[in-house]
Amino acid sequence: MKRNPFIVSLLVIFISSFWCSSAFAYKVKKIKNGKIIKWNTNTVTYYVNTSGGPPDSLAAIQAAMKTWTDVPSSSFHFVYGGPTTSTVRNPDDGINIIYFGKIRNKARVARNYVQWNKESGELYDSDIVFNTAHKLSAADKCPEDSYDIQSVLTHELGHSLTLNELYKQTHEEKTMYWKENKGDTKKRTLDQDDIDGISYLYP
Ligand SMILES: [Ca+2]
Ligand SMILES: [Zn+2]
């Protein structure tokens, strides 16, 4: 039987589009006009206030920055700018800070307040707060009753990039999976989909 080339090519398109949608398990943030929300630079600096955090917080924070910076297929760099005494986020000062404090939604372990231009999608400010209502740890081995700062921050820095949450349970192993678990350190390392995400946004 002679194959219909039209049917064959339709089949190829169908299979490849299915393959692509399942291969890209990362989500990027877009504004209404379809433009991707992202930094207009490949180097983003954070100032850190470790006051209120557990011992060795700074090392854990820097390790999380390094994880994204070290991705070979992306030119993006997170830079530690030095200490700050600020404990108040200012969404419009263009100064990115990481600090420890309270979040109105007590269930949240951390929150990243990301600001972008509503027309261009250009991201210009990101302030990240760790919720001191929870037990937080910066120890190498995270205790079962605490949240691991390095894991939580690696995830929050993913939002800075701006990768979105992944909700499917099959994405549980990925850094951008939405849920934080106590004692869990697996978000310290990136999954291939997280790597694909940063490489797509900042090649
Ligand atoms: Ca700010
Ligand atoms: Zn998240």
Side-chain angles (χ1 to χ4, degrees):
M1 194 181 85
K2 194 170 175 291
R3 283 201 183 90
N4 181 332
F6 178 70
I7 300 285
V8 171
S9 58
L10 263 190
L11 202 66
V12 167
I13 290 166
F14 174 76
I15 291 172
S16 57
S17 67
F18 175 76
W19 176 256
C20 287
S21 68
S22 60
F24 297 147
Y26 59 84
K27 275 190 222 148
V28 300
K29 244 188 168 72
K30 290 179 181 172
I31 48 176
K32 278 198 190 111
N33 64 17
K35 281 188 186 148
I36 292 175
I37 299 167
K38 55 183 266 190
W39 300 94
N40 193 18
T41 167
N42 284 353
T43 305
V44 170
T45 301
Y46 280 93
Y47 299 86
V48 179
N49 185 350
T50 55
S51 163
D56 299 322
S57 291
L58 185 59
I61 287 167
Q62 286 179 297
M65 288 186 185
K66 190 174 186 302
T67 298
W68 288 108
T69 297
D70 281 354
V71 172
S73 48
S74 169
S75 56
F76 195 88
H77 283 71
F78 283 121
V79 174
Y80 170 54
T84 173
T85 54
S86 181
T87 53
V88 183
R89 65 189 165 83
N90 180 342
D92 293 310
D93 61 359
I95 297 170
N96 312 309
I97 62 170
I98 299 172
Y99 66 103
F100 294 81
K102 294 266 182 279
I103 302 177
R104 205 177 294 162
N105 179 348
K106 289 200 174 69
R108 300 284 295 264
V109 182
R111 219 186 137 176
N112 189 347
Y113 297 86
V114 182
Q115 304 295 323
W116 59 86
N117 181 295
K118 301 290 176 270
E119 257 86 68
S120 66
E122 185 183 328
L123 209 157
Y124 59 83
D125 196 292
S126 156
D127 294 328
I128 300 173
V129 53
F130 279 101
N131 191 355
T132 50
H134 293 282
K135 239 180 147 178
L136 303 164
S137 165
D140 239 7
K141 197 181 175 317
C142 182
E144 289 303 317
D145 65 347
S146 305
Y147 290 99
D148 180 53
I149 285 183
Q150 188 182 336
S151 285
V152 171
L153 186 62
T154 308
H155 174 91
E156 292 305 326
L157 289 174
H159 289 317
S160 302
L161 288 170
T162 49
L163 296 171
N164 265 352
E165 311 286 7
L166 298 172
Y167 290 103
K168 283 188 194 158
Q169 211 174 350
T170 49
H171 295 157
E172 205 169 28
E173 298 300 316
K174 304 181 202 312
T175 294
M176 293 321 295
Y177 186 66
W178 69 282
K179 197 171 188 301
E180 308 288 354
N181 293 309
K182 284 178 183 165
D184 191 356
T185 58
K186 64 185 170 206
K187 290 181 180 178
R188 288 181 184 180
T189 52
L190 302 176
D191 185 273
Q192 187 59 47
D193 288 319
D194 305 308
I195 292 170
D196 289 348
I198 185 176
S199 307
Y200 169 75
L201 289 165
Y202 308 92

